């Protein structure tokens, strides 16, 4: 429990730092008054606006006001869309989360078994082939993979759509493409594109870890105990392999979420990435600030989840956490 | 007594990058039912490789290149992996050097005991757990029932090695290969673990191949000793005989390095020079560069084994009393 509380404290700290960065962005990039009243407003109007916005208050008070608003999901009004930033983000968030989740699911679901298999069958030709393929997967730029997939499956074969989200079903503010055939078809190419690099990475790491574990003393001792190969490979080796692999998968999930921008651009996927690209082009500072905080929140939550998962798989962490608190 | 384990002219080679090295050459020895055979020799002499070969656990790049290994009169070095596996842990158990790394860190001690027991014996989960608890009690672990639920990291090194002993004894093996079972432990605990091993073996009539660097252990705990040098057994015979009247100059050097039975951990390298490595073999008798009684033929012809009373020695001058005095 102490372990969990400590981690929560760290999470809050990280979020405060992110809020500070995004607040600074908000406060010092461009002049918010200019943005709101326009270039032609009189000096008196500007002063009145400044006072109304609280821009004359001390820095610290302004910062805490920002945090207070952020906690209520209030990040102000988008310069470009003239709508509340939170509403814009809420609208786009499900698309990106779905894309990231599905691509990580593909990458993990294939990457871990393939990595383990290639480690256990090192000499096999298929293992060599997969290893070479994974190198390509790591090296190829994502947009190139996306374009190649579009060319093959949309343009030549005409099997799958090359852009958009297809038909979505809404539940309140949440919209999902997973419940309609066209939505699922639309998800295939972007999520594969986003997942290829992760798949290759996870496979290589799982393979390397598995090989490492198979050389460990306790595996040799398990052999000397006469355990069945299946028990040695899966009950002992695989579980020990998963500890570092789970961490990496968690961290990569944050990356996938944050860097879906490229894939969303290639596939015109109506998610956060696309929104942010446009926000950057128009210097839509409130939107950018909110996006920053959101990404930080995602990373923090993922880290927290990974840590908790660690406690669940590895009994040593639990002990270390308790000792760390006692010390 | 009949021979429980019989190793005949064992030869182990290692496929190095450019050539094939000989790690073990013409090694022959027997272990009778219930007998403790000590194996000594400098680091790299081939003690572990010999033990590993008996367990059938040689791994690339090492492989058995010749000779036979018989257990209970049956040839085991030609058995398939599956048949060998059912022997391992049941008939022939192992204890390795480092208790800290011999156990799976992610699995409770009870689970590791139960899985070993259930692999070899037709017991139900409850019965296996019962047996696991009894074993922990027998190896002197306090509160054995509670300890079944502990993870390896929650135990001290000495306790962990007791667990390893429980694992080795859990299916009542007839032979235990103990490769430096106490080297990694605190000096104060070494004697306890060794006494425990010896007591349990004597009670059950379990034979042991006890690899050690500790001449004090040899003197106290073993019935016979095999002295290894550069991949060969240079002398093997009853401990009492070797202690007082060894025939090989190398053995005499070793025995001379036990100044006092109570002082353990004596350096084995009191003889000037160093042992030839597998990648730089020496012609003739491998010991001749360091031998005080070597003559011309020693550097050319490899000595054959000579039987002297209960011992067997590989030296041209074995039995030549004038020489042993002259040294
Ligand atoms: N997998 C391997 N690859 C290359 N060389 C090996 C391998 N295993 C053993 N050897 C070599 O075989 C020789 C015998 O090694 P072994 O481990 O049996 O020595 P040892 O007598 O047990 O030494 P120690 O007292 O240090 O444990 C050494 O020279 C070692 O370098
Ligand atoms: Mg060794």
């Amino acid at each position: 429990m102490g372990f969990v509380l400590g981690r929560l404290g760290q999470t809050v700290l990280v979020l405060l730092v992110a809020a500070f960065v995004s607040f600074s962005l908000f406060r010092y990039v461009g002049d918010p008054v200019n943005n709101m009243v326009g270039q032609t407003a009189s000096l008196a109007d500007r002063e009145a606006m400044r006072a109304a916005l609280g821009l004359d208050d001390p820095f610290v008070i302004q910062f805490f006001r920002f945090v207070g608003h952020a906690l209520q999901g209030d990040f102000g009004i988008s310069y470009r869309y003239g709508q509340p930033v939170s509403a814009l983000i809420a609208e786009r968030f499900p698309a990106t989360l779905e894309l990231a989740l599905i691509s990580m699911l593909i990458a993990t679901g294939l990457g871990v078994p393939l990595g383990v298999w290639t480690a256990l069958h090192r000499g096999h030709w298929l293992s060599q082939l997969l290893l070479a393929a994974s190198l390509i997967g790591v090296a190829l730029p994502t947009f190139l993979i996306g374009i190649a997939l579009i060319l093959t499956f949309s343009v030549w074969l005409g099997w799958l759509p090359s852009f958009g989200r297809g038909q979505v079903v809404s539940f309140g503010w949440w919209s999902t493409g997973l419940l309609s055939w066209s939505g699922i078809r639309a998800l295939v190419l972007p999520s594969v594109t986003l997942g290829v690099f992760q798949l290759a990475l996870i496979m290589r790491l799982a393979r390397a870890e598995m090989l490492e574990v198979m050389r460990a003393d306790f595996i040799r001792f398990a052999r000397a105990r006469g355990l069945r190969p299946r028990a040695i490979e899966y009950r002992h080796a695989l579980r020990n392999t998963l500890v570092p692999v789970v961490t990496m998968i968690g961290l990569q999930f944050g990356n996938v979420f944050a860097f879906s921008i490229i894939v969303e651009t290639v596939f015109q996927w109506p998610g956060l990435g696309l929104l942010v690209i446009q926000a950057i082009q128009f210097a839509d500072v409130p939107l950018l600030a909110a996006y920053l905080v959101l990404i930080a929140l995602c990373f923090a939550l993922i880290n927290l989840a990974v840590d908790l998962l660690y406690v669940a798989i590895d009994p040593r962490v639990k002990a270390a956490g308790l000792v760390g608190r006692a010390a | 007594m009949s021979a429980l384990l019989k190793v005949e002219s064992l030869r182990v080679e290692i496929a190095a990058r450019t050539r094939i090295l000989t790690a073990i050459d013409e090694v022959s020895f027997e272990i009778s039912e219930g007998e403790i055979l000590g194996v000594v020799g400098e680091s790299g002499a081939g003690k572990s490789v010999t033990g590993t070969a008996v367990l059938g656990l040689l791994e690339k790049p090492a492989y058995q290149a010749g000779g036979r290994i018989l257990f209970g009169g049956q040839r085991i070095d030609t058995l398939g992996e599956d048949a060998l596996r059912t022997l391992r842990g049941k008939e022939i158990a192992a204890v390795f050097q480092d208790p800290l790394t011999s156990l799976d860190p992610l699995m409770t001690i009870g689970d590791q005991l139960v899985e070993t027991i259930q692999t070899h014996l037709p017991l139900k989960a409850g019965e296996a757990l019962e047996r696991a608890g009894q074993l922990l009690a027998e190896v002197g672990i306090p509160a054995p029932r509670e300890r079944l639920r502990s993870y390896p990291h929650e135990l001290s090194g000495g306790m962990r090695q007791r667990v390893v002993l429980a694992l080795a004894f859990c299916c009542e093996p007839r032979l235990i290969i103990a490769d430096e079972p106490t080297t990694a432990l605190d000096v104060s605990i070494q004697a306890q673990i060794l006494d425990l091993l010896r007591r349990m073996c004597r009670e059950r009539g379990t034979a042991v191949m006890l690899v050690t660097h500790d001449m004090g252990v040899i003197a106290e705990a073993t019935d016979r000793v095999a002295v290894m040098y550069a991949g060969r057994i240079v002398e093997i015979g009853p401990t009492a005989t070797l202690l007082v009247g060894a025939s090989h100059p190398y053995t005499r050097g070793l025995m001379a390095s036990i100044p006092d039975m109570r002082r353990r951990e004596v350096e084995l390298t009191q003889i000037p020079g160093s042992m030839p490595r597998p990648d730089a073999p020496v012609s003739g008798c491998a010991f001749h560069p360091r031998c005080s009684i070597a003559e011309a033929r020693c550097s050319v012809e490899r000595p054959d084994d000579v039987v002297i009373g209960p011992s067997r020695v590989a030296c041209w001058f074995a039995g030549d009393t004038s020489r042993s005095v002259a040294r």
Side-chain angles (χ1 to χ4, degrees):
Chain A
M1 202 56 215
F3 175 76
V4 175
L5 284 180
R7 280 291 188 272
L8 274 176
Q10 286 174 14
T11 306
V12 170
L13 202 71
V14 167
L15 284 177
L16 272 178
V17 171
F20 184 77
V21 170
S22 100
F23 166 72
S24 307
L25 182 79
F26 194 53
R27 182 67 187 74
Y28 297 109
V29 176
D31 182 356
V33 175
N34 247 351
N35 285 314
M36 296 182 109
V37 298
Q39 304 281 354
T40 53
S42 72
L43 207 63
D45 282 350
R46 282 167 186 272
E47 287 306 320
M49 193 70 188
R50 284 193 80 81
L53 286 175
L55 292 179
D56 295 326
D57 293 341
F59 181 85
V60 180
I61 294 195
Q62 285 193 48
F63 175 60
F64 279 106
R65 193 182 299 133
F66 175 83
V67 171
H69 286 159
L71 281 179
Q72 294 159 31
D74 178 6
F75 286 92
I77 308 287
S78 156
Y79 296 160
R80 175 155 184 259
Y81 297 93
Q83 292 174 32
V85 167
S86 47
L88 283 170
I89 285 185
E91 188 190 324
R92 300 297 194 98
F93 181 73
T96 295
L97 187 68
E98 240 169 58
L99 180 61
L101 269 178
I102 298 296
S103 63
M104 270 325 264
L105 224 66
I106 295 173
T108 308
L110 287 175
V112 173
L114 285 180
V116 168
W117 192 86
T118 51
L120 292 177
H121 302 83
R122 261 203 302 178
H124 202 282
W125 62 269
L126 190 57
S127 173
Q128 309 284 339
L129 190 75
L130 282 167
L131 208 62
S134 75
L135 255 180
I136 299 174
V138 169
L140 269 188
T142 301
F143 75 91
L144 216 65
I145 298 172
I147 290 169
L149 287 180
I150 289 178
L151 271 181
T152 314
F153 293 99
S154 304
V155 179
W156 289 343
L157 297 171
W159 288 352
L160 295 162
S162 65
F163 65 89
R165 237 190 134 188
Q167 201 182 339
V168 294
V169 181
S170 297
F171 298 95
W173 63 275
W174 191 271
S175 66
T176 175
L178 292 175
L179 292 178
S180 76
W181 184 230
S182 86
I184 291 173
R185 275 164 41 99
L187 243 175
V188 175
L189 290 186
S191 56
V192 168
T193 305
L194 191 56
V196 164
F197 175 81
Q198 304 301 334
L199 166 60
L201 203 66
I202 291 172
M203 182 189 127
R204 294 185 72 85
L205 182 81
R207 184 187 115 95
E209 288 295 335
M210 187 78 175
L211 284 176
E212 180 78 31
V213 171
M214 287 302 281
R215 274 196 299 270
D217 281 352
F218 68 85
I219 294 296
R220 197 168 111 87
F221 188 57
R223 287 222 177 85
R225 287 193 273 147
L227 301 186
R228 292 183 185 85
R230 214 155 259 285
I232 294 174
E233 286 160 9
Y234 296 102
R235 206 183 306 152
H236 294 281
L238 181 59
R239 275 185 51 180
N240 278 277
T241 301
L242 284 183
V243 174
V245 170
V246 159
T247 315
M248 218 240 348
I249 290 173
L251 300 180
Q252 284 309 118
F253 182 75
N255 282 343
V256 162
F257 191 83
F259 300 119
S260 61
I261 292 179
I262 295 166
V263 172
E264 293 193 6
T265 310
V266 172
F267 289 93
Q268 288 299 298
W269 187 260
L272 283 174
L274 212 54
L275 188 70
V276 162
I277 283 283
Q278 289 158 358
I280 292 171
Q281 281 163 4
F282 289 90
D284 197 342
V285 174
L287 195 51
L288 288 177
Y291 180 72
L292 244 161
V293 172
L294 182 72
I295 292 295
L297 181 68
C298 283
F299 268 101
L301 288 180
I302 288 164
N303 270 324
L304 196 64
V306 168
D307 282 342
L308 295 182
L309 212 58
Y310 232 95
V311 177
I313 350 183
D314 194 336
R316 287 165 298 183
V317 179
K318 210 175 296 175
L322 292 175
V323 169
R325 202 167 70 103
Chain B
M1 275 196 284
S2 63
L4 174 66
L5 177 75
K6 197 163 177 172
V7 175
E8 294 175 348
S9 306
L10 179 67
R11 181 182 173 86
V12 175
E13 293 177 350
I14 294 165
R17 253 168 237 282
T18 49
R19 62 219 166 103
I20 289 172
L21 310 176
T22 306
I24 298 289
D25 197 11
E26 290 285 318
V27 162
S28 302
F29 64 95
E30 290 180 8
I31 301 181
S32 307
E33 205 91 48
E35 181 184 53
I36 300 184
L37 174 75
V39 180
V40 282
E42 276 165 63
S43 190
K47 307 180 294 290
S48 297
V49 170
T50 307
T52 310
V54 171
L55 284 165
L57 285 176
L58 285 177
E59 272 181 74
K60 274 195 280 182
Y63 58 92
Q64 184 181 340
R68 310 197 303 160
I69 302 172
L70 292 97
F71 181 78
Q74 186 202 4
R75 189 142 181 214
I76 56 169
D77 58 314
T78 47
L79 285 180
E81 176 52 32
D82 236 32
L84 202 56
R85 187 186 63 68
T86 51
L87 213 62
R88 248 187 256 134
K90 184 164 195 307
E91 302 285 340
I92 308 178
V95 178
F96 294 136
Q97 183 170 346
D98 195 350
L100 302 183
T101 54
S102 285
L103 301 169
D104 184 340
L106 300 188
M107 199 185 261
T108 63
I109 283 149
D111 285 347
Q112 298 191 48
L113 276 162
V114 166
E115 78 173 339
T116 315
I117 293 167
Q118 286 197 307
T119 301
H120 298 295
L121 305 175
L123 292 184
K124 291 197 185 66
E127 297 165 336
L129 197 67
E130 180 70 20
R131 191 186 175 97
Q134 284 165 7
L135 277 157
L136 286 192
E138 209 169 330
V139 296
I141 288 183
R145 280 186 194 285
E146 288 80 73
R147 278 302 168 207
L148 286 172
R149 283 189 300 273
S150 298
Y151 286 93
H153 74 267
E154 295 167 334
L155 303 180
S156 67
M159 283 297 152
R160 269 187 252 190
Q161 196 64 319
R162 284 174 195 265
V163 173
V164 170
L165 283 183
L167 280 162
F169 279 102
C170 72
C171 301
E172 304 289 335
R174 287 201 282 164
L175 173 67
I176 290 186
I177 311 287
D179 194 346
E180 306 193 34
T182 58
T183 308
L185 298 173
D186 238 45
V187 182
S188 57
I189 300 165
Q190 290 187 354
Q192 293 174 18
I193 297 292
L194 203 78
D195 284 346
L196 178 66
L197 173 68
R198 199 164 46 145
R199 202 191 70 226
M200 288 182 79
C201 288
R202 294 292 188 219
E203 279 169 12
R204 290 149 206 254
T206 315
V208 188
M209 176 177 160
L210 179 61
V211 176
T212 179
H213 277 143
D214 189 333
M215 295 306 291
V217 168
I218 292 289
E220 284 170 35
T222 64
D223 302 312
R224 287 195 309 140
V225 195
V227 180
M228 290 194 76
Y229 190 84
R232 305 194 75 198
I233 292 183
V234 293
E235 181 158 10
I236 179 168
T239 307
T241 311
L242 260 68
L243 279 175
V244 294
S247 302
H248 198 283
Y250 179 64
T251 317
R252 284 201 299 259
L254 281 187
M255 297 307 167
S257 72
I258 326 178
D260 181 346
M261 285 301 181
R262 272 154 300 176
R263 221 191 89 202
R264 293 169 173 273
E265 278 296 326
V266 240
E267 282 299 309
L268 293 186
T269 44
Q270 292 195 350
I271 310 158
S274 61
M275 189 180 68
R277 301 275 136 190
D279 55 351
V282 166
S283 65
C285 171
F287 186 60
H288 84 260
R290 300 167 77 183
C291 184
S292 57
I293 59 170
E295 287 188 356
R297 75 187 298 198
C298 297
S299 59
V300 184
E301 290 173 76
R302 197 156 84 172
D304 292 321
D305 286 344
V306 185
V307 174
I308 299 175
S311 304
R312 203 181 67 219
V313 191
C315 174
W316 288 120
F317 306 113
D320 187 340
T321 38
S322 64
R323 297 260 169 193
S324 44
V325 175
R327 97 191 155 92

